[in-house]
Every structure is written in C-alpha cells, then in structure tokens.
Amino acid sequence: MASVPVIDLDNLTISPTADEALENYYKNNPPIQDADANPWDVSRADIYSKDLWRKPFAEMRAQEPINKIEGGVHGDYWNITTYKPIQHVEALPDIFSSDVEQGGITIADPDYDQDFQLPMFIAMDRPKHTGQRRTVAPAFTPTEMKRMEEEIRMRTAEVLDSLPWDEKFDWVDKVSIELTTGMLAILFGFPWEDRRMLTFWSDYAGDVELAVAEELTDQRRQILHEMGAYFLKLWNERVDAEPTPDLISMMIHSEHMKDMDHMEFMGNLVLLIVGGNDTTRNTMSGVAWGLGQFPEQRAKLQQNPDLIPNAVQEIIRWQTPLAHMRRTALEDYDLFGHQIKKGDKVVMWYLSANRDEEVFPEADKIIVDRENARRHLAFGYGIHRCVGARLAELQIRILLEEMHERRMQVNPTGKMRRVHACFVHGFREMEVELTKY
C-alpha cells in the first residue's frame, strides 16, 4: 500500500465535529438569501434542516418529474423525482456513470485535486466496481447475519437497559450513534474504546456541505488522513495474520483489494463507514421520530409485533436516510422525452421517489402494514444497491423487537435538530422521554 503522511496517532483530531465546523463557518460566511432562487433547486441544505422539502418534491412529481436546474447551489443538474425513471437510470450503469472521474455519486462535484482523490467502489463503474464489491459482500450474507444476530441483540439490549426512564435524553446520541458505531467496530475489528471516532470521521467524510465551505478543505483532509493512518495501522497489524471475518482482513486477502493504494483504501473506508453509520443511525432516529408522529400506527405495531419486519421496511422508506444519488451521462440519452446530454449531472432523489403516490398511496404517512413497503428505493437499485442492506434491516428489526420486549415507548418532546445537508437525511439531536405501554 502506498505511503501515507506522517500522523501522530496519539494526538488525533477530535474536535470540532463536522457539524460544529460548518456552524462556525456559516457564522463567518452567512448564506446569501436569494429571493429569486429556483424553488425546485432541492440541493439547498436549509430545506432539509428546516424540514421544508416535501412541498417542492410534491410539486415536481405532479408537474414535471424530470426537470433541469440551472445555476443551482451545486451547478446545473437534472432532478429525477419519481420512482420509474429512477429505476430506469439505475438500470443503465453503462450510460449513467457513478465513477468519481466522471463526477461521482453526490450532487457536489468531487475535489479534483489529484493529490487527494478517494476512489471507492460505489463510485466506480464496471468491471472494477464488480470485483471490489464482491470482496466485501461476504460480510453481509444471510449466514453472516445469522452469526451476528446474537451479538447485535445483546448489545442492543445493553444500550436500551442503560436508558433513563425518569429523565429526558438525546436518542440520537444514546441509541442511534451508540448502536451503529458499535456495529461498525465489530465489522472492522476496530478498537472498542475508540469507536466514537467512526462517527466523527463519518460526518467529515459524508457531509456534502463541506464541499461548499472551501475554508474547511484543509481541515477535512487532515482529519481524513488521520482516519487513513489509523486504519493503515490496523491493516499492518493484520497483513501477515490468518484471515478473519472483519472487513480489513477481507480486503487484505482479496485479489481485487489487497493492492489498493492508500487513497483508494481511504475511499473504501469512507464508503463503508458512511454507509454503515449514517444510514442506519438516521433510520434508528427515524424509528423514534416517525412512530411518534403516527401514534395510531405505533399502537398497531405495539399490539401486533409480528408486523415488525414490515415496519422496518416502511420506516426505512419513510425516513430515506440518504436523500439522493448522482450519476453522470456518458452519452446523449432520451429519458422519457427529456434530452439528457453527455456530461449532464443526473440526480436521483430517493427521498422523493419513496413518496411517489403512484407507488405508495398516502406516502407521507407511516403505515406499518403497508403491503409494498419493501419496494422502497432507500437502498438504491441495480448493481449499486446497498451492499449492507441486510445488516441495516437486521439492526433496526432487533431494535424494534427489544423495545417491544421492554414495552418501551419513545416519545419525542419536539426538541430536535436535523442534519443541514441535501445528501444525508437525518437528525443531529432528538430529545425524548420513555414510557411503558
């Protein structure tokens, strides 16, 4: 593996968090309020942190499901807002590219500094994508899920049993982050005492808004280099050891990933950390918030625990923890009558497709026994469908089962803070209190 900048692993950066860094940035660089901004430019972070995204997406689905934005926060791009055309784009990976060299997978254009490229297999096209995905896929097979279920249940029980019943607390910190960082630590064979670093790195790696805040570029790179150095130490400790089920060992012993250079190693770490942390974390927060918004559905689930597996799918659909994925057209293409040109940025809004009333009636509601909840697009579709989907479903199912075992009802107080971003869709904080049912 290629060399890495010298990093003092005994003095890693631990503050500020990505959220705090952006908050400080915006204090000194307040966003310009453009009265003439296109209301369909749904790349604006504030419509998510203020929870104002439903109206523009509903308008687009009804009036012009495929439309082009010019001069948006992240430049020109196509909005794809309904279910069928998103599936169509996803099914044509040789026409609509995910490759970072073409533009990558988020609406923010990648950093083209040749000294700081982070290739990852989700941002690769075939055939390289295929080989690297196959390397990590064995960690998420049904057999592996069965093997991990007992440990996940034990850890979930420990976390729930540690919660206070007589005071308000932050569900995001005490439950969502704690459970997901613990799961990542197990997957990577990561030192348990440092597991919260995974959340810290995930936020710096996955926050699209950092691409806008150019003043934070050097700080973000330093933090990601520290992440890479930490994992390189783990790699070097295991490179001559016998294979084990953790993801680092799988990479070491893989024909497709054993010779990665350092930046590609970092890129795939970012993918696995953000994919395993942000998505499950924000769906677990969605469990608390969403069921609190629909008490009659919560009661139905409490009275019928056999609905839990279906409710897992429905909550994932309703929350949609990653709002979008981006593709770049490799050739001119007629997309349902819309002329996509070679090089155009095409943004698939999963958040909107999962509210497509033609597929999901009363889509803004959680309906725990919804018959087609599993058809959601929150994990994507086609060759890039989330490799860890089964693990996310397992963790959320066990969380709901263990809550039911304790007759635990989570009641959000209304005091909460959402992620200020157009990519990760979730919660920074959520105050709750517990009651029995």
Side-chain angles (χ1 to χ4, degrees):
M1 186 174 293
S3 62
V4 59
V6 176
I7 300 291
D8 181 1
L9 292 178
D10 293 325
N11 292 285
L12 292 174
T13 304
I14 58 173
S15 66
T17 65
D19 198 42
E20 291 167 341
L22 276 171
E23 186 175 335
N24 292 334
Y25 172 81
Y26 288 130
K27 284 179 181 177
N28 298 321
N29 304 272
I32 298 173
Q33 300 299 319
D34 186 354
D36 297 323
N38 189 331
W40 288 2
D41 178 13
V42 283
S43 68
R44 293 173 293 127
D46 63 300
I47 71 171
Y48 303 95
S49 56
K50 296 177 182 176
D51 201 31
L52 301 174
W53 53 272
R54 292 173 186 78
K55 180 180 178 182
F57 280 121
E59 290 175 352
M60 285 188 274
R61 289 194 301 270
Q63 300 172 33
E64 198 173 350
I66 301 172
N67 64 84
K68 190 171 186 181
I69 299 296
E70 296 183 347
V73 172
H74 294 285
D76 298 350
Y77 66 94
W78 288 90
N79 279 320
I80 316 294
T81 65
T82 49
Y83 194 94
K84 184 177 178 181
I86 287 180
Q87 279 192 322
H88 190 82
V89 169
E90 292 268 43
L92 297 171
D94 298 324
I95 295 174
F96 295 101
S97 172
S98 303
D99 198 288
V100 68
E101 293 186 6
Q102 302 295 335
I105 60 167
T106 70
I107 195 169
D109 290 320
D111 185 342
Y112 284 109
D113 184 335
Q114 293 304 310
D115 293 329
F116 195 81
Q117 290 292 312
L118 298 179
M120 58 187 76
F121 67 80
I122 197 174
M124 295 175 183
D125 293 334
R126 296 184 292 197
K128 194 169 184 180
H129 163 267
T130 306
Q132 293 202 1
R133 181 184 172 99
R134 284 176 178 168
T135 296
V136 301
F140 304 102
T141 61
T143 300
E144 278 300 295
M145 296 305 97
K146 189 69 176 175
R147 184 183 69 81
M148 287 193 285
E149 181 167 351
E150 183 177 351
E151 184 169 8
I152 294 171
R153 190 173 299 280
M154 178 186 69
R155 289 184 52 259
T156 302
E158 288 175 354
V159 167
L160 293 184
D161 287 341
S162 72
L163 300 176
W165 287 83
D166 55 354
E167 63 184 67
K168 298 172 182 176
F169 65 92
D170 180 7
W171 178 267
V172 175
D173 179 63
K174 296 291 188 183
V175 179
S176 305
I177 291 177
E178 186 59 28
L179 287 177
T180 50
T181 53
M183 189 70 253
L184 280 173
I186 293 168
L187 282 174
F188 282 114
F190 193 86
W192 190 255
E193 64 276 10
D194 289 342
R195 66 191 183 280
R196 284 284 175 133
M197 293 300 299
L198 294 166
T199 298
F200 180 77
W201 293 329
S202 175
D203 289 343
Y204 268 98
D207 198 326
V208 166
E209 301 313 305
L210 288 168
V212 179
E214 294 183 3
E215 292 179 16
L216 299 177
T217 296
D218 289 343
Q219 179 177 324
R220 176 175 179 266
R221 289 184 183 183
Q222 170 67 18
I223 288 168
L224 294 183
H225 275 308
E226 290 178 357
M227 176 199 74
Y230 193 113
F231 274 96
L232 182 58
K233 176 176 177 286
L234 299 182
W235 177 290
N236 290 335
E237 289 171 353
R238 298 172 197 179
V239 70
D240 295 322
E242 289 297 312
T244 54
D246 68 88
L247 287 171
I248 296 176
S249 181
M250 287 183 178
M251 292 181 191
I252 288 171
H253 295 281
S254 159
E255 176 186 350
H256 297 283
M257 300 180 86
K258 65 181 181 180
D259 296 321
M260 290 183 294
D261 65 27
H262 182 67
M263 301 307 287
E264 190 170 336
F265 179 50
M266 284 175 60
N268 279 313
L269 291 174
V270 166
L271 166 61
L272 294 167
I273 292 171
V274 172
N277 183 64
D278 284 353
T279 52
T280 309
R281 173 175 77 180
N282 286 306
T283 304
M284 287 180 169
S285 298
V287 165
W289 182 257
L291 292 177
Q293 302 307 295
F294 301 97
E296 74 290 348
Q297 292 295 315
R298 180 173 62 189
K300 183 188 294 185
L301 187 61
Q302 291 168 347
Q303 295 159 15
N304 300 277
D306 56 310
L307 291 175
I308 285 176
N310 196 74
V312 168
Q313 302 297 330
E314 175 67 349
I315 293 167
I316 293 171
R317 178 200 69 83
W318 184 84
Q319 178 60 35
T320 313
L322 292 181
H324 77 263
M325 281 285 172
R326 173 252 185 100
R327 303 288 184 259
T328 303
L330 298 179
E331 60 187 63
D332 293 354
Y333 190 81
D334 184 321
L335 183 63
F336 297 99
H338 298 270
Q339 303 310 306
I340 310 295
K341 298 299 182 183
K342 180 179 179 179
D344 280 0
K345 184 189 301 187
V346 176
V347 181
M348 304 176 294
W349 292 101
Y350 299 155
L351 189 63
S352 179
N354 281 341
R355 302 301 176 103
D356 188 337
E357 293 274 356
E358 292 188 8
V359 180
F360 305 107
E362 297 185 274
D364 280 334
K365 295 181 179 180
I366 287 178
I367 301 174
V368 294
D369 55 357
R370 185 185 295 276
E371 291 183 0
N372 66 345
R374 186 172 284 276
R375 287 187 63 193
H376 68 80
L377 293 177
F379 292 130
Y381 181 82
I383 68 167
H384 287 287
R385 188 177 189 273
C386 177
V387 70
R390 286 193 187 99
L391 180 58
E393 293 165 349
L394 176 63
Q395 291 177 86
I396 299 160
R397 172 173 65 79
I398 289 174
L399 174 61
L400 286 170
E401 288 172 351
E402 292 300 310
M403 288 168 59
H404 176 71
E405 180 72 18
R406 289 155 181 75
R407 316 293 288 180
M408 179 183 287
Q409 179 168 294
V410 184
N411 306 293
T413 67
K415 182 180 179 181
M416 44 87 73
R417 188 161 58 92
R418 300 177 186 274
V419 174
H420 184 76
C422 69
F423 182 58
V424 173
H425 178 234
F427 305 84
R428 292 292 185 210
E429 299 173 356
M430 185 193 307
E431 185 182 80
V432 303
E433 50 190 356
L434 303 178
T435 54
K436 294 270 190 181
Y437 64 87

